[in-house]
């Protein structure tokens, strides 16, 4: 694929595409990801979207980036720091250059480094010329000019031609890393099938970038990252939101139920609705409601009517849904509530990630209102988590909260497509008119094993019953204000959740001699796992455990925690899991917190491991709060 240029073999590489929000960086990164997946690399990605819907062009708030790590071995994260930064303008360079290690490569679109664009982000001089980037290998490429020359034959307007510069960048990176090109060409022609001249322009720009790499003498080497030795199977690249949608569709099929999604669009959960709306052929109905409350109300009504009821949201929307979740707990109806967490409170950071809703999921309703809580650990794991949520909801007759987050929802990785025959069916066990019942229908009687009540679809002969948000009498389901009955029903509902069968916690502790345990949940799995691997290569004995089931906790969790001298819980919040573990198990779990709207890096958690071993972790964590307060004091002229 290259014309005599030598190829350097790499085990891994981290690439970050960065530019203005209108430069197509997400599409560029996504296409590079698709080709890496098709080639057979292991990969992990992390997009970073600007907070503003349309920030002023060329400004720091408008920078959009997409990071991908590809490797010839199993990886867990999108990488700590980029080996290569593609900077489409000065803002992209300034926003990302601090993340680059010494010796990293910068590929800069020189056409955008004008005096005006430099001034927008505070550059007094051109950093490509003033020597400030001497620690990096800088490749200056006039991408816009070269793109316009390449697309001239397509006949598109200049503005449309300039938009294709992201495909020039993709072509250049495809040459550098020996990526196949056919898939991208086919994709572009399909994407712009209704505008063939635009399709042709993008293909020409893509080819121009590839051929630029071949013919220029600026690049002394291309690079090769071999296929990863993954377990046998059929793989595809998948994002967390897409995997979750597929899991919910599959759950409906294996349960033999129609799927009803009642929801309201909210970042970063909206793509779940978008994906599910494509699958009407699998008996999926999607309803975009006028607000969060209407969305969950429709989903709960669908659950009463015999469908797999689903609603999705992010943190602020979960608060709005809390009353209807309580209604679902009282009526004991199966419902899946998806919360793709983002930075809060209030509107907070809509495009950034956080693990800030665990306590809201556990306790954010009035009264004693327990619900199961589960959290996928990675984009591919969302598929299995969606099925598990449906299985628990239908088996135990309860709403289930599924906590994803922005890093998982928008990130992607290879997914081994399962055989449907390997997935255990779900039996909703709805009541039928033929069920024998000598004493009449008792809608709040209990299964002796699960404590679940029977479910009867309205209209089933002989199964008529009352339902609503007022307290129910044990067995009959009649309205009851009796103190003893209320006490009984509250304890029964709690016991039902406590008795949900969840797998024991598995601890990754190869030596069996570790004194330090890192425990996490959600998207912290990847950074913790990678940090533990690095520490072990340095001779540290450290264990790792990860919680998918957060309510109820695994039965052996207390025993696991008690088995380690030091337990550390890294979270993208101010210590919510550590608070729960300390309260329940009376173990001194040390929180490690981050609330920057960004996921942990493995390097950060490697420092945490070292601090835990030398006994300075408490001071290390305390310094974050002290530093924040000191900064606020300085800016405000002192606290009065």
């Amino acid at each position: 694929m290259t014309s005599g240029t030598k190829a350097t073999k790499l085990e891994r590489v981290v690439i970050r595409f960065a530019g203005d929000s209108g430069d197509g960086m997400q599409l560029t990164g996504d296409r590079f990801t698709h080709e890496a997946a098709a080639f057979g690399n292991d990969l992990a990605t992390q997009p970073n979207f600007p907070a503003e819907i349309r920030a002023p062009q060329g400004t720091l708030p408008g920078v959009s980036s997409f990071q991908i790590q590809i490797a010839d071995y199993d990886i867990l994260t999108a990488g700590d720091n980029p080996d290569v930064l593609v900077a489409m303008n000065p803002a992209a360079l300034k926003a990302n250059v601090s993340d680059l290690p010494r010796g990293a490569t910068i590929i800069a679109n020189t056409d955008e480094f004008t005096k005006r664009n430099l001034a927008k982000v505070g550059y007094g001089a051109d950093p490509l010329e003033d020597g400030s980037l001497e620690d990096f290998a800088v490749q200056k490429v006039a991408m816009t000019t070269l793109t316009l020359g390449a697309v001239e034959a397509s006949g598109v307007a200049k503005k449309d031609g300039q938009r294709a510069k992201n495909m020039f960048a993709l072509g250049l990176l495809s040459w550098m890393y020996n990526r196949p090109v056919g898939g991208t060409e086919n994709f572009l022609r399909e994407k712009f099938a209704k505008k063939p001249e635009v399709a042709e322009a993008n293909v020409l720009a893509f080819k121009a970038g590839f051929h630029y790499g071949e013919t220029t003498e600026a690049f002394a080497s291309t690079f090769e990252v071999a296929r990863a030795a993954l377990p046998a199977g059929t793989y595809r690249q998948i994002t967390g939101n897409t995997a979750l949608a597929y899991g919910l569709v599959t759950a409906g099929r294996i349960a033999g139920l129609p799927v009803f999604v009642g929801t309201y669009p909210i970042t970063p959960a909206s793509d779940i609705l978008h994906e599910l709306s494509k699958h009407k052929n699998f008996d999926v109905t999607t309803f975009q409601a006028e607000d969060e409350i209407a969305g969950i109300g429709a989903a709960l009504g669908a659950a009463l009517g015999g469908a797999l009821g689903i609603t999705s949201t992010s943190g602020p929307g979960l608060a709005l849904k809390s009353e209807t979740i309580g209604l679902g707990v009282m009526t004991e109806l199966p419902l899946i509530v998806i919360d793709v967490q983002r930075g809060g409170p209030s509107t907070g950071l809509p495009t950034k990630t956080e693990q800030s809703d665990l306590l809201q999921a556990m306790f954010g309703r009035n009264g004693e209102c327990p619900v199961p809580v589960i959290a996928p650990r990675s984009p591919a794991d969302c598929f299995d988590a969606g099925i598990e949520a449906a299985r628990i909801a239908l088996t135990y007759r309860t709403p289930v909260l599924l906590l994803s987050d922005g890093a998982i929802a928008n990130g992607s990785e290879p997914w081994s497509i399962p055989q449907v025959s390997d997935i255990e069916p779900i039996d909703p066990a709805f009541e039928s008119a033929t069920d024998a019942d000598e004493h009449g229908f008792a809608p709040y009687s209990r299964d002796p094993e699960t404590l679940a009540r029977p479910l009867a679809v309205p209209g089933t002969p002989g199964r008529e019953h009352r339902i609503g948000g007022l307290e129910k009498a044990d067995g009959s389901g009649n309205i009851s204000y009796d103190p003893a009955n209320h006490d009984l029903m509250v304890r029964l509902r709690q016991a039902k959740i406590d008795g949900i069968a969840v797998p024991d916690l598995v601890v990754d502790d190869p030596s069996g001699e570790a004194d330090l345990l890192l425990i996490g949940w959600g998207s912290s799995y990847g950074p913790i796992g990678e940090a533990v691997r690095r520490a072990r290569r340095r001779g540290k004995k450290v264990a790792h455990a990860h919680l998918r089931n957060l309510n109820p906790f695994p039965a052996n969790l207390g025993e696991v925690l008690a088995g380690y001298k030091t337990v550390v819980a890294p979270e993208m919040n101010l210590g919510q899991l550590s608070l729960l573990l300390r309260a329940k198990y009376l173990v001194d779990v040390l929180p490690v917190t981050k609330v920057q709207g960004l996921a942990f890096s493995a390097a950060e958690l490697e420092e945490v491991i070292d601090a835990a071993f030398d006994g300075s972790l408490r001071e290390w964590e305390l310094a974050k709060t002290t530093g924040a307060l000191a900064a606020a004091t300085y800016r405000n002229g002192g606290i009065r």
Side-chain angles (χ1 to χ4, degrees):
M1 293 180 65
T2 59
S3 55
T5 305
K6 67 177 182 178
T8 301
K9 295 187 181 299
L10 301 174
E11 291 183 341
R12 50 164 290 281
V13 67
V14 179
I15 301 168
R16 184 181 296 176
F17 299 92
D20 194 72
S21 59
D23 283 340
M25 294 296 93
Q26 304 304 323
L27 176 62
T28 306
D30 189 60
R31 284 314 309 165
F32 195 88
T33 301
H34 273 279
E35 298 303 342
F39 183 76
N41 298 126
D42 196 16
L43 63 92
T45 73
Q46 191 55 67
N48 191 353
F49 301 96
E52 302 291 334
I53 294 174
R54 194 67 177 96
Q57 190 171 10
T59 61
L60 291 172
V63 174
S64 175
S65 67
F66 187 105
Q67 183 162 307
I68 176 173
Q69 179 174 205
I70 59 174
D72 64 4
Y73 60 92
D74 171 46
I75 58 174
L76 298 175
T77 73
D80 292 344
N81 305 104
D83 303 299
V84 179
L85 171 66
V86 179
M88 302 300 286
N89 61 17
L93 176 65
K94 189 162 191 177
N96 292 283
V97 69
S98 61
D99 292 338
L100 299 180
R102 184 184 180 92
T105 297
I106 298 173
I107 302 174
N109 178 16
T110 55
D111 288 324
E112 293 296 321
F113 280 70
T114 63
K115 287 184 178 180
R116 183 183 180 200
N117 286 343
L118 291 167
K120 282 182 181 179
V121 293
Y123 277 128
D126 187 346
L128 303 181
E129 306 293 344
D130 66 4
S132 60
L133 301 177
E134 61 183 10
D135 287 341
F136 311 111
V138 180
Q139 299 290 348
K140 295 178 281 188
V141 184
M143 294 187 200
T144 306
T145 300
L146 291 167
T147 298
L148 287 173
V151 306
E152 187 175 358
S154 69
V156 298
K158 183 178 179 181
K159 186 176 181 180
D160 287 331
Q162 289 176 328
R163 286 175 177 167
K165 63 183 179 288
N166 64 324
M167 288 298 105
F168 183 97
L170 178 60
L172 176 56
L173 269 292
S174 297
W175 172 81
M176 286 179 63
Y177 290 95
N178 286 276
R179 300 290 95 184
V181 298
T184 295
E185 290 186 33
N186 293 337
F187 166 81
L188 291 171
R189 296 196 187 279
E190 290 176 10
K191 179 177 177 63
F192 299 108
K194 295 182 179 180
K195 296 181 178 180
E197 71 282 358
V198 175
E200 183 64 18
N202 278 276
V203 170
L204 289 172
F206 176 69
K207 289 182 175 179
F210 191 91
H211 295 315
Y212 178 85
E214 282 187 312
T215 56
T216 186
E217 296 180 358
F219 298 90
S221 174
T222 61
F223 303 93
E224 290 183 358
V225 180
R227 290 176 173 83
L230 300 174
T234 301
Y235 288 82
R236 62 153 288 179
Q237 171 258 349
I238 201 165
T239 65
N241 276 346
T242 300
L244 185 50
Y246 287 180
L248 297 172
V249 173
T250 302
R253 302 300 286 179
I254 63 175
L257 298 178
V259 173
F260 181 91
V261 185
T263 193
Y264 180 78
I266 182 171
T267 303
S270 299
D271 283 343
I272 299 170
L273 171 63
H274 299 160
E275 184 60 43
L276 286 169
S277 68
K278 302 174 184 177
H279 300 290
K280 296 178 177 64
N281 55 315
F282 290 119
D283 206 4
V284 176
T285 300
T286 51
F287 168 58
Q288 180 175 318
E290 66 270 26
D291 56 39
E292 296 281 7
I293 298 170
I296 190 173
L300 188 64
L304 173 63
L308 179 60
I310 300 163
T311 191
S312 58
T313 191
S314 188
L318 184 61
L320 290 167
K321 294 179 188 294
S322 62
E323 183 179 6
T324 307
I325 295 173
L327 177 61
V329 171
M330 175 61 75
T331 55
E332 300 189 45
L333 290 171
L335 177 69
I336 299 172
V337 182
I338 300 162
D339 175 19
V340 185
Q341 300 163 98
R342 69 192 203 190
S346 189
T347 308
L349 305 175
T351 64
K352 309 301 180 182
T353 191
E354 210 163 275
Q355 294 176 294
S356 52
D357 298 341
L358 178 55
L359 295 182
Q360 183 180 194
M362 291 287 288
F363 308 118
R365 295 161 298 281
N366 69 295
E368 295 291 338
C369 192
V371 297
V373 181
I374 65 175
R377 70 184 191 183
S378 69
D381 189 47
C382 285
F383 177 83
D384 295 322
I387 295 175
E388 182 179 356
R391 192 181 305 280
I392 292 174
L394 288 164
T395 301
Y396 293 91
R397 316 310 202 202
T398 179
V400 175
L401 267 163
L402 190 152
L403 295 181
S404 179
D405 63 54
I408 290 175
N410 297 317
S412 64
E413 65 180 348
W415 172 51
S416 179
I417 301 173
Q419 295 293 322
V420 175
S421 58
D422 294 336
I423 302 174
E424 184 181 350
I426 301 173
D427 181 8
F430 289 149
E431 292 283 304
S432 70
T434 59
D435 291 332
D437 193 340
E438 297 178 6
H439 307 290
F441 182 49
Y444 280 81
S445 58
R446 301 284 164 182
D447 180 282
E449 183 176 344
T450 65
L451 296 182
R453 77 172 185 87
L455 280 187
V457 175
T460 304
R463 296 294 176 266
E464 297 83 1
H465 60 285
R466 294 181 179 183
I467 198 163
L470 292 172
E471 182 63 279
K472 305 294 180 290
D474 179 37
S476 71
N478 294 331
I479 295 171
S480 173
Y481 301 108
D482 179 68
N485 178 80
H486 177 60
D487 184 275
L488 172 64
M489 296 300 280
V490 167
R491 295 180 189 278
L492 277 174
R493 287 189 290 264
Q494 184 64 58
K496 181 177 69 170
I497 303 306
D498 291 341
I500 292 173
V502 302
D504 275 353
L505 181 65
V506 176
V507 182
D508 176 21
D509 186 2
S511 70
E513 301 174 354
D515 288 329
L516 171 64
L517 171 70
L518 265 65
I519 187 165
W521 66 281
S523 63
S524 64
Y525 172 79
I528 295 174
E530 178 59 32
V532 167
R533 287 180 179 181
R534 295 179 188 179
R536 287 174 182 165
R537 287 196 290 268
R538 296 189 289 113
K540 305 278 188 181
K541 293 180 179 179
V542 54
H544 177 204
H546 196 79
L547 290 164
R548 175 193 269 180
N549 296 96
L550 295 160
N551 192 35
F553 285 129
N556 68 330
L557 177 55
E559 180 183 350
V560 168
L561 296 175
Y564 290 90
K565 181 179 179 181
T566 305
V567 180
V568 177
E571 298 180 83
M572 291 183 290
N573 57 47
L574 293 183
Q576 297 183 22
L577 177 63
S578 62
L579 179 71
L580 294 174
L581 297 180
R582 282 167 166 256
K584 186 172 181 64
Y585 300 107
L586 303 181
V587 172
D588 186 17
V589 179
L590 303 178
V592 170
T593 63
K594 183 174 183 177
V595 282
Q596 299 176 5
L598 300 170
F600 282 108
S601 70
E604 287 175 310
L605 295 182
E606 204 175 357
E607 292 181 12
V608 167
I609 292 171
D610 290 343
F613 274 107
D614 66 24
S616 63
L617 186 57
R618 292 183 190 275
E619 292 76 13
W620 189 88
E621 176 66 19
L622 180 62
K624 294 180 187 178
T625 299
T626 304
L629 291 175
T633 302
Y634 172 77
R635 284 194 297 269
N636 295 322
I639 296 176
R640 297 177 176 83

